[in-house]
Amino acid sequence: SVLVLNGKIRIVGNKILASNDKKVDFASALQSCEEAGGTLAAPKNEEENKAIMDIVKQYNRYAYLGIRKEVATDQFKYINGMLLNYSHWHQHEPNGKGREKCVEMYTDGTWNDKKCNMYRLTICEF
């Protein structure tokens, strides 16, 4: 199934951000973004974080970010394996102690580590 981009699209830097308004688990969100030729949105700076937050606020739903905890190193990394060069954790986060391997964005733009089986908004970047 092709990702239908009927939501608002944001352009930030050289990225295009788009949501299909669907709430799914992390694996399904990542798969639908990859099938559309992109990946799950992952902010690399404050400007990108704000653009993703704008979509989260528009739908008033938390969204998964393209960031995951690597089992071997116990570090959060972008899904392409690169180390985080930017983060915007909520106060006292991450606090999952290894059980919460995915990252969601709250409507205020801060991040929280979360289990990967929750249903969150899909936001892709291209």
Side-chain angles (χ1 to χ4, degrees):
S1 68
V2 176
L3 183 70
V4 179
L5 300 175
N6 56 2
K8 290 211 172 113
I9 292 174
R10 298 266 187 304
I11 296 172
V12 56
N14 59 356
K15 287 183 181 178
I16 297 170
L17 303 171
S19 177
N20 61 0
D21 194 22
K22 289 211 165 61
K23 282 174 62 177
V24 294
D25 64 25
F26 180 85
S28 301
L30 180 58
Q31 182 180 356
S32 61
C33 289
E34 288 177 344
E35 284 173 359
T39 189
L40 261 178
K44 305 239 179 355
N45 56 51
E46 193 172 333
E47 185 186 17
E48 292 179 8
N49 200 75
K50 185 187 177 316
I52 296 168
M53 180 189 77
D54 287 344
I55 297 173
V56 168
K57 276 175 139 165
Q58 176 196 339
Y59 290 103
N60 196 27
R61 294 199 197 125
Y62 298 168
Y64 277 126
L65 297 176
I67 299 168
R68 213 174 7 204
K69 185 180 269 191
E70 202 173 65
V71 178
T73 62
D74 212 34
Q75 283 183 305
F76 283 98
K77 292 185 176 181
Y78 294 111
I79 44 182
N80 65 6
M82 302 280 292
L83 287 170
L84 293 183
N85 61 345
Y86 169 84
S87 65
H88 194 62
W89 294 104
H90 195 75
Q91 191 175 3
H92 308 302
E93 300 293 346
N95 67 359
K97 301 175 184 61
R99 293 183 312 276
E100 299 178 332
K101 297 186 179 3
C102 289
V103 179
E104 66 182 356
M105 180 184 280
Y106 290 149
T107 50
D108 67 357
T110 59
W111 305 357
N112 172 45
D113 54 336
K114 196 75 182 169
K115 290 186 173 163
C116 302
N117 62 350
M118 308 303 291
Y119 281 63
R120 295 292 179 261
L121 183 66
T122 302
I123 302 175
C124 303
E125 69 178 45
F126 301 92

